[in-house]
Amino acid sequence: MYALKFNEKVCATCPSADCLLKCQYMTFEKEEAHEEMMKIVRGEDSRVLHECMTCYACEEYCRRGNHPYYLIGERREERGIYTAPRPITNQWINMTAMQGKYMVGDIKEKAISCCFLPQLAEMATGEIFKDVASSVVFGAEFMCPAVHTHFAKMSVVKERLPVVIENLTKLGIKELICLHDECYGTFTSIAPAYGMEVPFKLTYYMDFLLERMKELKGKIVPLNITVAYQRPCSNRLIPDKHHLVREILDLIGVSMPDRRYQDENSLCCAELFRPIGGYRIADDVQRRNLDDMVATGAEYCLFNCPACQDVLSEKVAKRGLQPVHIIDLCRTAIGEKEREV
Amino acid sequence: MSDILQSLKEIVGEKGVSNNPEELWFYSRDPGVLDPHFPDYVVAPRTTEEVQKIVQLANRENIPIVPMGGGMALTGLVIPLKGGIVLDMKRMNKILEVNEKARYAVVEGGTSQGVLKAYLQDHHPMLRHSLPDAPPATTIAANVSLHGQGRLTQQYGFNSDMVTGLEVVLPTGEVCRIGSPSLGPYWFSKGPTLPDLSGLFLGWLGTTGIITKLGFKLYPNKKYRDVELLVTDRVELVPDILYKLTHLEMLEDINVWFQPKPLLFAGNFHCTIYFTGDTEEEIDFKRRMVWDSVQGYLDSKDAGFMNIQYMKDMLMEMPQRGIAAFADVPKGGGFEYSGPITIIEHFPRYAAKVIELAEKYDILYASSARLISGGHSMMFSISFAFNRNDKAMMTRVKHALDEATAFSLEMGGIPWKPNYMEQKMTMEKMDPVTLKLLQMVKKNLDPQGIMNPGNWEVN
Ligand SMILES: Cc1cc2nc3c(=O)[nH]c(=O)nc-3n(C[C@H](O)[C@H](O)[C@H](O)COP(=O)(O)OP(=O)(O)OC[C@H]3O[C@@H](n4cnc5c(N)ncnc54)[C@H](O)[C@@H]3O)c2cc1C
Ligand code: SF4
Ligand code: SF4
């Protein structure tokens, strides 16, 4: 069984315990944050194990190479602590079980992964994806199991991720373009944290998108619109990729005004807060997030994760913002898609 | 016999009657597991007078007569067990009146649920009726004849409780009005303050008369409707969860279901909770009340609300087609359920029985219960899907359903729309004086026993 590689000494000497200090859902005094983290490190009970909302953000806040969020998950599971109700947790495990109901396209060395999100297969078409669109995998057999970290079911992650890696390897894939941050984050953050090897190259779809948009520059008609960006939880696993959003937007003439809940201070879609922390916190986070988006005067709410988009589309639309995924926005910029109004 | 055919033609016209074998074939069976039996004639009247004449003829000639709506009761209730005439009511499908302010409708005895739903949407958008999840072609009169339940049953009781008046052709051929229409032009009360005679027909499965008109209550149609899905893996908590939810007194409908397939649903018990409102604020308020009512179970992590984004359209459908889709899981499109009416505290024991029966007979189950009257009782459906092409599987389903009925009787439940064998089991268990009373009613109303014979054969 794989085990989390966590450097306890690094925490012991940590000057700030930013992981918990910056947490948006729990407040700590400076010393207290460090103390609580050390309790977790030592395997003792901590209020964090009962109050953490699983927003993934401490993976970004820790700048010292440790994985506080994964450790919290491990400790919760060791103690039998459920984040969400047990039937919901098990439902997710069942729903994402490998049942042989996957889709594999005409696989070439370079392939795209749609994870468990069929919407992604619809999006990844047209000029931008013309060389890779048919080389696609979708389904539980290829799905990154990171979602189970929300439920502190790290054992499911450890059990399924090697199988997913093996399934992809068996297809002869040499380079996998991950269309979902969660997949890229799983392969590049969770897998190494647990000592799992990924024997193929991983490409984050925004890197791919940026390159393709540069190649298609001649076709771009600047969109001249303003967006508020909904950063997904799983982007916290790959914070070094966050800058790509702005670079892509610059290329297609889209402005993204500063707002309070942006970058490190982003609020996630909060839908999983509903089973974990109840409707009050979920509604509150969504309301604050949307108020903030509206205050920027943005016309569009820009999504990166289709799950966030599903959850928030209706809500942002009611507040006057048009929901749009960044891939669709790029396709609009090269005249492939009608502009959403 | 040919004299009878001729007489029937004289009553309903050439096109309204048939004894062609290929047509009788369809009228000899239903989608359930009971063996078919052929009628001698099928007749489709258009008016009460025609029904009356057909019944007079049947009475004179001592021929069985089986009223039929959509034929979808599933328990063989319209299979002409003793031959005779199947009276297909579907041509009597007029909506006669909607009294907007008194909130009732009057329709003919073959009017379908779908036709009324569409009519209300077009002409009375502020009103709705208690639509069952049965296919839209099923009829309202049949539904009250078997004490059906619909979307508003959780709030207002069985659909038969919502009846506000009847016009019935008695087995002798006389036409009788029940309730306020027996005194005047209004159809607002089936009984009170008179002695309630509607009980002579409601629940009798067409064995005491033919409903040619009925009035029934309509209810406010709210602008918004929404749903939450609560799941728990601890069946013993279900009764208390339901108790807490019904305490709110603000929910439209509550269905509790469990099924092993697809895997997403395995191991959990699901409560689908519907609520309505005229504003988004009202909906949000009700949603919060629903969550708060079960907060203890959320805190203990024993129950939780599921994200239903991907299922919402299916859950919101009226009627819900997903129920019919279940029939085709083993391929071959067969589906039947035993649906005892029971008390909510027995839910865990019924649930265990369904799983036990499915394992014992190696068949696929799905169970869905609907709350009645704010939780005073529930209809607990023990549903099995089967392949019609697989006789052995159908036999296993039949045995499982018989056992389910025996179990529900043992548990003090009441079988719902029982087939003729289940009716017998029920009568055997019944208090003898109650049975005697039923005999007196049946004997007096239908002395020759021509109405849907084989069913409620109390004599
Ligand atoms: C997928 C599916 C879902 C269902 N869901 C529900 C549900 O949610 N709620 C529910 O209540 N039922 C449900 N049912 C069961 C059944 O379909 C309904 O009860 C339906 O209302 C029966 O109507 P019908 O017209 O098909 O009746 P039929 O099968 O035609 O008749 C039923 C009984 O009524 C008698 N009858 C018919 N017309 C008259 C009349 N005019 N006068 C006197 N007696 C008459 C018949 O002789 C028979 O005994 C469901 C069935 C299916 C297949
Ligand atoms: S996890 Fe990182 S930020 Fe937190 S205490 Fe350890 S080293 Fe410091
Ligand atoms: S995952 Fe989010 S909520 Fe949990 S401790 Fe880390 S930052 Fe806080």
Side-chain angles (χ1 to χ4, degrees):
Chain A
M1 193 55 152
Y2 294 96
L4 177 65
K5 293 193 268 175
F6 192 90
N7 194 334
E8 299 174 9
K9 288 191 196 120
V10 173
C11 280
T13 58
C14 181
S16 60
D18 272 352
C19 55
L20 295 184
L21 265 185
K22 288 188 178 175
C23 174
Q24 288 161 292
Y25 307 104
M26 285 176 276
T27 39
F28 299 94
E29 298 302 321
K30 196 169 176 188
E31 281 312 307
E32 190 195 0
H34 191 251
E35 260 167 44
E36 289 302 322
M37 196 60 211
M38 288 314 293
K39 280 191 208 165
I40 298 168
V41 167
R42 289 192 299 267
E44 294 165 13
D45 199 7
S46 154
R47 74 175 173 100
V48 176
L49 303 184
H50 305 273
E51 293 171 26
C52 159
M53 296 303 298
T54 77
C55 78
Y56 291 19
C58 44
E59 283 296 306
E60 178 176 17
Y61 301 149
C62 172
R63 302 285 180 192
R64 294 162 62 85
N66 257 348
H67 292 291
Y69 173 59
Y70 307 154
L71 185 69
I72 292 168
E74 289 287 347
R75 295 294 190 246
R76 282 174 147 170
E77 191 169 19
E78 281 162 22
R79 293 179 161 265
I81 296 173
Y82 279 84
T83 58
R86 198 177 50 254
I88 299 287
T89 305
N90 291 332
Q91 187 179 62
W92 274 89
I93 294 173
N94 283 339
M95 183 167 66
T96 56
M98 297 178 194
Q99 297 177 69
K101 296 177 184 169
Y102 53 83
M103 187 189 89
V104 172
D106 177 17
I107 297 297
K108 307 201 182 75
E109 290 197 347
K110 197 186 255 192
I112 51 176
S113 161
C114 294
C115 191
F116 206 38
L117 298 156
Q119 314 89 303
L120 284 172
E122 282 163 35
M123 257 186 263
T125 52
E127 185 66 20
I128 300 170
F129 293 91
K130 72 176 181 351
D131 294 331
V132 286
S134 62
S135 178
V136 60
V137 293
F138 159 81
E141 277 72 3
F142 309 107
M143 175 199 174
C144 63
V147 68
H148 302 289
T149 65
H150 284 295
F151 303 106
K153 284 287 170 193
M154 310 309 278
S155 53
V156 179
V157 179
K158 285 180 274 189
E159 184 191 305
R160 290 190 185 173
L161 184 52
V163 182
V164 171
I165 296 171
E166 196 189 323
N167 288 344
L168 290 162
T169 310
K170 276 197 228 152
L171 293 176
I173 291 169
K174 297 279 182 291
E175 179 182 348
L176 186 71
I177 303 166
C178 299
L179 293 179
H180 191 203
D181 283 30
E182 193 117 322
C183 293
Y184 188 76
T186 301
F187 294 124
T188 61
S189 169
I190 299 182
Y194 281 90
M196 294 174 200
E197 257 180 61
V198 185
F200 40 84
K201 181 181 167 200
L202 289 151
T203 299
Y204 179 47
Y205 86 95
M206 288 218 204
D207 279 315
F208 176 85
L209 208 50
L210 183 63
E211 280 316 300
R212 287 294 291 139
M213 293 312 284
K214 283 180 186 163
E215 284 162 19
L216 295 168
K217 202 159 182 190
K219 289 195 169 184
I220 295 174
V221 178
L223 293 170
N224 293 324
I225 54 167
T226 309
V227 301
Y229 174 51
Q230 173 54 44
R231 189 180 180 203
C233 58
S234 44
N235 197 260
R236 306 291 195 156
L237 307 184
I238 47 171
D240 54 322
K241 297 290 181 191
H242 176 50
H243 66 95
L244 289 165
V245 177
R246 206 172 272 282
E247 284 178 44
I248 293 169
L249 295 184
D250 286 347
L251 208 60
I252 58 175
V254 175
S255 68
M256 182 166 67
D258 285 340
R259 65 186 187 105
R260 180 172 174 196
Y261 299 118
Q262 193 147 307
D263 305 327
E264 210 181 58
N265 201 28
S266 299
L267 291 174
C268 66
C269 78
E271 201 53 28
L272 270 172
F273 289 9
R274 223 169 272 283
I276 293 172
Y279 70 85
R280 286 183 183 80
I281 181 154
D283 286 350
D284 174 61
V285 170
Q286 290 179 345
R287 185 188 43 75
R288 281 192 285 131
N289 196 8
L290 265 61
D291 284 350
D292 190 45
M293 288 185 192
V294 171
T296 64
E299 304 139 87
Y300 287 74
C301 174
L302 180 71
F303 290 100
N304 162 357
C305 166
C308 298
Q309 188 168 359
D310 282 346
V311 164
L312 291 180
S313 277
E314 199 181 320
K315 292 182 169 125
V316 298
K318 276 190 185 148
R319 302 289 305 268
L321 284 95
Q322 181 69 38
V324 66
H325 192 278
I326 193 161
I327 295 178
D328 283 337
L329 208 55
C330 288
R331 295 180 63 194
T332 308
I334 57 168
E336 229 177 51
K337 251 187 97 89
E338 291 281 313
R339 187 182 283 226
E340 313 267 354
V341 282
Chain B
M1 278 298 193
S2 61
D3 281 354
I4 290 171
L5 181 69
Q6 189 50 38
S7 307
L8 288 170
K9 281 182 181 169
E10 279 162 23
I11 298 169
V12 294
E14 191 86 26
K15 288 192 172 157
V17 57
S18 172
N19 67 347
N20 290 337
E22 59 272 27
E23 266 151 350
L24 298 186
W25 188 92
F26 284 103
Y27 286 92
S28 68
R29 61 199 64 230
D30 78 352
V33 288
L34 287 195
D35 290 336
H37 194 281
F38 275 71
D40 298 301
Y41 310 95
V42 48
V43 189
R46 282 182 202 272
T47 61
T48 301
E49 291 67 37
E50 287 180 4
V51 174
Q52 198 176 8
K53 284 181 188 159
I54 296 163
V55 175
Q56 281 163 351
L57 173 75
N59 202 15
R60 213 168 42 238
E61 302 287 340
N62 200 4
I63 316 172
I65 183 161
V66 180
M68 173 188 171
M72 292 299 288
L74 304 176
T75 45
L77 301 177
V78 292
I79 295 179
L81 299 172
K82 304 204 170 160
I85 297 170
V86 168
L87 194 72
D88 186 333
M89 296 295 289
K90 284 193 276 294
R91 294 208 294 181
M92 292 185 62
N93 59 1
K94 285 195 267 313
I95 293 163
L96 302 169
E97 184 192 349
V98 170
N99 188 322
E100 173 93 27
K101 289 288 183 304
R103 291 202 182 101
Y104 68 73
V106 184
V107 302
E108 287 186 329
T111 307
S112 72
Q113 305 282 358
V115 162
L116 180 69
K117 182 186 172 205
Y119 181 85
L120 291 176
Q121 270 169 2
D122 287 350
H123 302 284
H124 301 276
M126 298 290 282
L127 298 174
R128 63 187 292 207
H129 77 294
S130 180
L131 193 77
D133 281 312
T138 57
T139 65
I140 300 163
N143 190 255
V144 300
S145 299
L146 50 70
H147 288 311
Q149 310 104 44
R151 278 284 156 213
L152 300 176
T153 286
Q154 197 285 125
Q155 292 180 76
Y156 303 108
F158 285 94
N159 287 353
S160 44
D161 292 336
M162 301 170 194
V163 168
T164 57
L166 295 171
E167 178 190 89
V168 186
V169 174
L170 301 177
T172 51
E174 290 156 293
V175 180
C176 173
R177 287 198 166 187
I178 304 293
S180 59
S182 69
L183 289 168
Y186 304 109
W187 289 66
F188 60 87
S189 172
K190 71 178 160 75
T193 56
L194 308 170
D196 189 350
L197 296 175
S198 67
L200 298 175
F201 308 98
L202 302 175
W204 279 87
L205 309 174
T207 60
T208 50
I210 295 160
I211 299 170
T212 44
K213 291 190 183 90
L214 73 154
F216 51 92
K217 292 176 190 168
L218 303 173
Y219 298 90
N221 187 26
K222 300 284 195 171
K223 279 199 195 117
Y224 298 94
R225 189 165 174 263
D226 214 332
V227 60
E228 285 282 334
L229 188 51
L230 181 71
V231 298
T232 179
D233 53 2
R234 286 185 57 195
V235 65
E236 68 276 18
L237 300 183
V238 171
D240 192 53
I241 288 173
L242 297 176
Y243 186 70
K244 290 188 156 67
L245 288 169
T246 49
H247 181 84
L248 294 174
E249 275 192 307
M250 56 167 65
L251 303 174
E252 179 208 60
D253 192 12
I254 305 174
N255 308 148
V256 197
W257 50 277
F258 59 101
Q259 57 190 62
K261 283 185 179 174
L263 200 51
L264 161 69
F265 301 132
N268 283 338
F269 298 86
H270 308 72
C271 303
T272 317
I273 304 157
Y274 295 92
F275 40 97
T276 58
D278 279 324
T279 60
E280 287 187 24
E281 290 74 35
E282 189 180 347
I283 289 285
D284 271 352
F285 170 73
K286 288 184 176 171
R287 188 192 318 283
R288 288 197 298 272
M289 293 295 285
V290 165
W291 276 64
D292 289 347
S293 70
V294 292
Q295 188 63 50
Y297 293 125
L298 305 184
D299 291 342
S300 66
K301 309 284 183 193
D302 287 320
F305 288 92
M306 189 175 154
N307 181 345
I308 47 170
Q309 199 142 12
Y310 301 100
M311 304 168 59
K312 195 159 176 177
D313 288 348
M314 191 263 282
L315 290 173
M316 296 293 281
E317 259 188 353
M318 282 193 291
Q320 250 186 45
R321 281 174 298 174
I323 300 174
F326 164 68
D328 216 31
V329 175
K331 300 296 164 207
F335 156 60
E336 184 168 336
Y337 59 99
S338 168
I341 311 298
T342 180
I343 51 176
I344 58 178
E345 65 194 80
H346 282 174
F347 183 92
R349 290 169 72 184
Y350 276 87
K353 190 70 188 177
V354 178
I355 295 166
E356 179 200 314
L357 289 173
E359 276 170 14
K360 178 171 171 189
Y361 292 101
D362 186 23
I363 45 181
L364 182 68
Y365 73 84
S367 172
S368 177
R370 168 168 272 147
L371 257 64
I372 299 166
S373 300
H376 286 119
S377 61
M378 70 178 358
M379 186 283 294
F380 184 100
S381 99
I382 305 172
S383 319
F384 299 113
F386 54 87
N387 179 349
R388 298 186 169 284
N389 222 1
D390 185 338
K391 284 273 165 256
M393 190 190 272
M394 283 177 75
T395 308
R396 295 202 303 278
V397 167
K398 216 184 225 170
H399 288 319
L401 289 169
D402 287 349
E403 225 177 282
T405 303
F407 171 78
S408 57
L409 285 168
E410 255 168 53
M411 292 287 293
I414 310 174
W416 174 49
K417 59 182 182 65
N419 67 32
Y420 69 94
M421 286 173 298
E422 294 167 332
Q423 293 164 26
K424 282 202 181 87
M425 288 159 80
T426 309
M427 289 185 284
E428 275 161 26
K429 173 106 196 300
M430 195 178 271
D431 173 78
V433 185
T434 314
L435 186 63
K436 197 168 143 200
L437 197 56
L438 289 182
Q439 280 163 347
M440 285 158 63
V441 171
K442 174 74 180 162
K443 211 174 193 161
N444 278 291
L445 282 175
D446 182 21
Q448 297 205 81
I450 57 167
M451 292 302 306
N452 204 356
N455 287 291
W456 286 138
E457 288 226 323
V458 278
N459 299 322

